């Protein structure tokens, strides 16, 4: 019988590092894509050199088509595809090389979402303060939100149907299958990877990264994190608040957690 890791590897188009010394899980906007260009370029070069020692996972609210655009746009400064992708705020898992969804991870989320969209859309249509985002996902609903116009009483009405609602960066509103988020999907992925949790470092800046930080894994909250996320820091003992923004903050966090021998 195949191990969990072997089952996962069979659904990927590129091999994973055999025994990674570090599993680095990074949000994109404001985190891996954040900071000054020289710092980003330096960090991306480091990731490329460490590819067999550092298993890199994108963990983002972007959908797969948006991730593909980012990789193309930032290739000139050295950004390379990760080994794995968690997209759509946890609703999608894909191979980093091909950006093809991984059925092992996606099928259970698809089952949770089945039938929900048809029930939710009538409640969301023409709601003040909401405008649909051009997101290509079949497992969540994504909107831009105007908090001053939005009726917050809509949230319990939606959640009664078996979903979770998430507001992040004071401008994004996501409707997700109940219990599915960046943190829950990451924990499932780590179980399939069969890695030591002590080797995992997460990094983020937005409120949709809170679930990732609530896993108890080592976390780096970069300096440019949104205020609502920073307010949660006192109850997140495993999370380090970096002084650097974006990539500089991630590198600072790696030093803090004892991975300086990789970075330096």
């Amino acid at each position: 019988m195949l191990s969990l890791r072997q089952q996962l590897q069979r659904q990927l188009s590129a091999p994973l590092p055999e025994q990674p010394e570090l599993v680095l899980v990074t949000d994109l906007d404001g985190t891996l894509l954040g900071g000054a260009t020289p710092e980003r370029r330096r960090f991306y070069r480091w990731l490329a050199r460490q590819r067999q020692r550092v298993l890199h996972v994108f963990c983002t609210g972007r959908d797969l088509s948006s991730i593909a655009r980012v990789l193309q746009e930032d290739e000139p400064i050295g950004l390379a595809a990760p080994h794995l992708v968690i997209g759509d705020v946890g609703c999608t898992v894909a191979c980093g090389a091909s950006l093809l969804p991984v059925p092992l991870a996606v099928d259970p989320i698809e089952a949770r979402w089945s039938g929900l969209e048809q029930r939710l859309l009538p409640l969301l249509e023409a709601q003040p303060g909401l405008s649909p985002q051009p997101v290509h996902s079949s497992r969540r609903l994504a909107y831009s939100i105007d908090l001053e116009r939005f009726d917050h009483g809509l949230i319990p009405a939606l959640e009664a149907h078996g979903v979770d609602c998430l507001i992040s960066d004071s401008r994004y509103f996501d409707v997700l299958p109940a219990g599915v988020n960046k943190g829950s999907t990451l924990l499932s992925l780590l179980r399939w990877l069969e890695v030591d949790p002590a080797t995992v470092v997460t990094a983020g800046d937005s409120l949709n990264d809170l679930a990732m930080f609530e896993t108890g894994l080592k976390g780096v909250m970069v300096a440019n994190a949104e205020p609502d996320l920073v307010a949660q820091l006192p109850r997140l003992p495993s999370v380090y608040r970096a002084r650097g923004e974006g990539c500089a903050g991630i590198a600072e966090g790696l030093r803090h957690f004892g991975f300086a021998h990789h970075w330096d």
Side-chain angles (χ1 to χ4, degrees):
M1 181 177 293
L2 295 176
S3 69
L4 289 173
R5 183 184 173 90
Q6 289 171 327
Q7 293 176 53
L8 176 65
Q9 181 65 78
R10 288 186 67 173
Q11 297 186 0
L12 303 176
S13 62
L16 298 171
E18 285 295 331
Q19 293 183 314
E21 298 169 36
L22 167 65
V23 179
L24 181 61
V25 185
T26 58
D27 175 49
L28 290 182
D29 297 276
T31 307
L32 189 67
L33 304 181
T37 300
E39 292 287 348
R40 292 174 63 195
R41 194 188 304 271
R42 183 183 178 208
F43 195 77
Y44 300 162
R45 281 201 304 263
W46 172 79
L47 276 174
R49 290 195 305 270
Q50 299 291 327
R51 194 158 183 86
Q52 292 306 312
R53 301 170 70 193
V54 178
L55 195 159
H56 186 202
V57 182
F58 285 180
C59 194
T60 176
R62 288 178 179 258
D63 64 17
L64 294 178
S65 61
S66 178
I67 293 167
R69 287 196 302 272
V70 165
L71 288 168
Q72 183 177 31
E73 290 167 359
D74 285 0
E75 184 181 13
I77 61 171
L79 182 63
H83 296 95
L84 293 160
V85 167
I86 297 172
D88 292 305
V89 203
C91 295
T92 296
V93 177
C95 171
S98 65
L99 294 184
L100 293 175
V102 177
L104 180 69
V106 169
D107 287 354
I109 300 172
E110 188 77 48
R112 289 192 184 200
W113 185 248
S114 179
L116 287 175
E117 186 169 351
Q118 294 85 343
R119 299 205 300 270
L120 296 170
L121 284 175
L123 298 175
L124 289 157
E125 285 177 359
Q127 283 290 336
L130 289 182
S131 56
Q133 290 185 49
V135 168
H136 304 287
S137 173
S138 58
R139 292 170 295 280
R140 68 159 169 157
L141 296 172
Y143 295 83
S144 298
I145 187 169
D146 180 340
L147 290 174
E148 293 186 358
R149 298 176 57 225
F150 177 68
D151 176 10
H152 288 263
L154 177 64
I155 291 178
L158 293 170
E159 291 185 337
H161 287 271
V163 297
D164 290 334
C165 297
L166 175 63
I167 297 173
S168 59
D169 205 22
S170 300
R171 56 184 176 140
Y172 299 122
F173 181 74
D174 288 292
V175 182
L176 312 168
V180 177
N181 51 57
K182 286 186 177 184
S184 64
T185 301
L186 174 58
L187 289 177
S188 293
L189 184 58
L190 294 175
R191 180 170 59 87
W192 295 319
L193 287 169
E194 299 177 346
V195 296
D196 180 354
T199 66
V200 181
V201 177
T202 67
D205 73 294
S206 170
L207 204 56
N208 69 20
D209 296 313
L210 178 60
M212 189 166 62
F213 290 150
E214 288 176 330
T215 60
L217 298 163
K218 298 180 181 73
V220 182
M221 188 184 297
V222 294
N224 50 299
E226 67 168 293
D228 286 343
L229 181 63
V230 176
Q232 302 296 320
L233 194 59
R235 66 179 188 86
L236 301 170
S238 61
V239 176
Y240 170 73
R241 178 75 194 282
R243 295 181 296 277
E245 298 188 357
C247 284
I250 302 173
E252 180 186 333
L254 291 177
R255 294 189 188 97
H256 170 79
F257 285 119
F259 293 98
H261 57 292
H262 293 302
W263 172 249
D264 297 327

